[in-house]
Amino acid sequence: MNRTPAHLADMLRFTQELRSLATGQTLETFTGNRVLCLAVEKLFINLGEAAFRMGSESASQWPGIPWRRVIGLRNILAHGYEQVAHEILFKTITDDLPALEIAIAETLRISEQGDRRH
C-alpha cells in the first residue's frame, strides 16, 4: 500500500496548523507564550516525522520539498541537541512555511492523481 498521500496529507495539515498558530502573533507575543512555543515544537516534530516516514526513495521523487531540512529540524527538537531558539521557529513559520505548504499541497495533488491511475 502506498502511504505517500497519507504522509503528505499529514505534512500539509501540520504546516497549516503551524501557520495558524502564528497568525496574529508578533515575535514578542510568540516567544513570550511558553505553551504556544511548546505546541509549535511538537508540530515541527510531527512534520519532520511525517517527512521521515516518506522514505528516501519516495522523497527523492519530490525535489521541491527540503526533506533534509524538515527532518533535521525534527531531530534537533526531538533530541534536544541544543537549546531551542523560538525566534528561529517563528521566523521559519512566517518566512519558510508558506512556500513549503504550497510545495506539499502540489506534491500531494500529483501523488493522489498518480494513485488514481493505478
Side-chain angles (χ1 to χ4, degrees):
M1 175 179 190
N2 182 6
R3 299 278 306 147
T4 297
H7 296 314
L8 288 168
D10 287 343
M11 291 176 66
L12 182 59
R13 187 178 76 248
F14 297 138
T15 59
Q16 291 168 338
E17 289 175 355
L18 282 160
R19 292 188 61 214
S20 176
L21 287 175
T23 299
Q25 300 287 329
T26 65
L27 177 60
E28 293 74 27
T29 60
F30 178 84
T31 57
N33 185 333
R34 179 153 171 74
V35 173
L36 177 60
C37 288
L38 292 172
V40 163
E41 286 181 33
K42 177 62 174 153
L43 285 169
F44 270 118
I45 289 170
N46 292 351
L47 175 63
E49 186 63 28
F52 176 77
R53 289 175 189 247
M54 287 284 295
S56 59
E57 186 176 318
S58 293
S60 67
Q61 297 175 32
W62 314 106
I65 297 174
W67 300 103
R68 291 182 66 157
R69 290 181 62 208
V70 172
I71 295 167
L73 179 57
R74 176 248 177 242
N75 290 340
I76 289 168
L77 294 171
H79 299 293
Y81 294 144
E82 56 189 61
Q83 181 66 19
V84 176
H86 292 112
E87 297 84 1
I88 293 174
L89 295 182
F90 183 77
K91 184 173 174 17
T92 300
I93 294 170
T94 58
D95 295 354
D96 300 330
L97 281 191
L100 180 61
E101 184 178 335
I102 291 168
I104 292 169
E106 179 64 11
T107 302
L108 177 59
R109 184 186 64 75
I110 293 167
S111 176
E112 287 175 336
Q113 286 176 348
D115 270 3
R116 286 189 210 120
R117 289 186 210 136
H118 297 294

